[in-house]
Amino acid sequence: MDGVGSFGAGRTGSTIDPIAFAKQPTTILRVLTWIFSLVVFASIVNEGYVNLGSERLHCIFNKNADACNYGVFVGLVGLLASSFFFLVDYKFSSISSVKDRKKAIMLEIGFSGFWTFLFFVSFCFLANQWSRTSPDMLPLNQGADAARAAIAFSFFSIITWAGLTVRAVQKYLLGTDMTLFTTEHMDGGAPSQPYPSNSPGGGTTETTETYQSPPFTENNAAPTYQVPIY
């Protein structure tokens, strides 16, 4: 995963390799979400409104202005959010605080999961309104390609945003495991005694070893013979 230690804390201050960063799965998904959001937004803004013989513009999705407004909103915010999180990913290794890293990951999880749901609603909403749009509403099939593009890329956005959510959850779980690992072994507590004490009071006793001369040495000299006195 991205980094070693608590939420990648092991990589703090490391040099960023642009090529390695560009090859990361998260970066690829981030770029795809940016492109897909741009297509949804631009398709509706450029060709999502038609003029049917009057000065008033009508939404190509069954003349439902809410459908066009919703698609523009989801696409624009998704575009801006993709750019923001791209910068966060690029600067992530320079964040020294583990708490700030955790907050950034939790923010990404919440937003990516929520925007996956909003793009799912966008896909269902736009597809439903497009199915109800009659050919008479669009002379010369005007705006049809833009409508299909908005629907298709809304569906693609569901996949990419869901992928980013999964990647963020994996990063969070990895960071949590590493945090528990480091705090367990670096809590500053006294190390436990590996062997129980033999003393009744539970304290440690110091044993002193006295030197004992081995048997059959010079100190054990043979007894001398004494001549009896008569």
Side-chain angles (χ1 to χ4, degrees):
M1 293 297 291
D2 302 332
V4 180
S6 303
F7 304 100
R11 295 185 55 195
T12 302
S14 59
T15 304
I16 301 175
D17 186 1
I19 298 178
F21 174 76
K23 293 181 179 180
Q24 293 179 1
T26 302
T27 305
I28 297 174
L29 289 174
R30 194 80 66 194
V31 173
L32 290 178
T33 56
W34 190 89
I35 295 175
F36 296 164
S37 299
L38 177 63
V39 172
V40 174
F41 169 75
S43 298
I44 299 177
V45 170
N46 292 334
E47 301 182 25
Y49 298 90
V50 293
N51 189 346
L52 301 177
S54 62
E55 296 181 356
R56 184 178 179 181
L57 296 176
H58 298 276
C59 178
I60 59 177
F61 293 98
N62 196 29
K63 294 183 179 181
N64 189 345
D66 293 335
C68 288
N69 293 335
Y70 184 83
V72 170
F73 168 75
V74 174
L76 178 60
V77 177
L79 177 65
L80 298 176
S82 299
S83 302
F84 170 75
F85 284 112
F86 182 86
L87 295 177
V88 172
D89 292 340
Y90 188 77
K91 296 293 185 180
F92 190 78
S93 60
S94 62
I95 302 176
S96 59
S97 174
V98 176
K99 293 183 179 180
D100 293 340
R101 288 174 175 236
K102 182 178 179 180
K103 292 178 182 179
I105 296 175
M106 293 182 65
L107 176 62
E108 181 180 358
I109 294 174
F111 186 88
S112 298
F114 182 60
W115 229 248
T116 301
F117 172 75
L118 290 187
F119 265 113
F120 174 77
V121 174
S122 175
F123 169 74
C124 296
F125 189 21
L126 296 181
N128 176 265
Q129 293 300 310
W130 179 247
S131 64
R132 297 182 179 183
T133 303
S134 62
D136 297 337
M137 297 181 183
L138 301 176
L140 302 177
N141 209 21
Q142 184 179 1
D145 293 338
R148 296 188 186 97
I151 295 173
F153 283 93
S154 293
F155 176 77
F156 297 152
S157 296
I158 298 173
I159 301 175
T160 54
W161 281 103
L164 289 174
T165 305
V166 173
R167 293 285 300 177
V169 171
Q170 291 176 348
K171 186 188 298 184
Y172 178 82
L173 294 177
L174 178 62
T176 303
D177 292 340
M178 295 303 297
T179 302
L180 293 176
F181 179 82
T182 53
T183 54
E184 180 181 358
H185 293 77
M186 300 180 64
D187 55 356
S192 59
Q193 186 176 357
Y195 299 101
S197 175
N198 294 328
S199 61
T204 59
T205 58
E206 296 181 0
T207 59
T208 59
E209 295 183 357
T210 60
Y211 177 78
Q212 296 180 357
S213 60
F216 310 110
T217 60
E218 296 180 355
N219 295 331
N220 295 332
T224 58
Y225 178 77
Q226 295 181 0
V227 179
I229 301 175
Y230 297 97

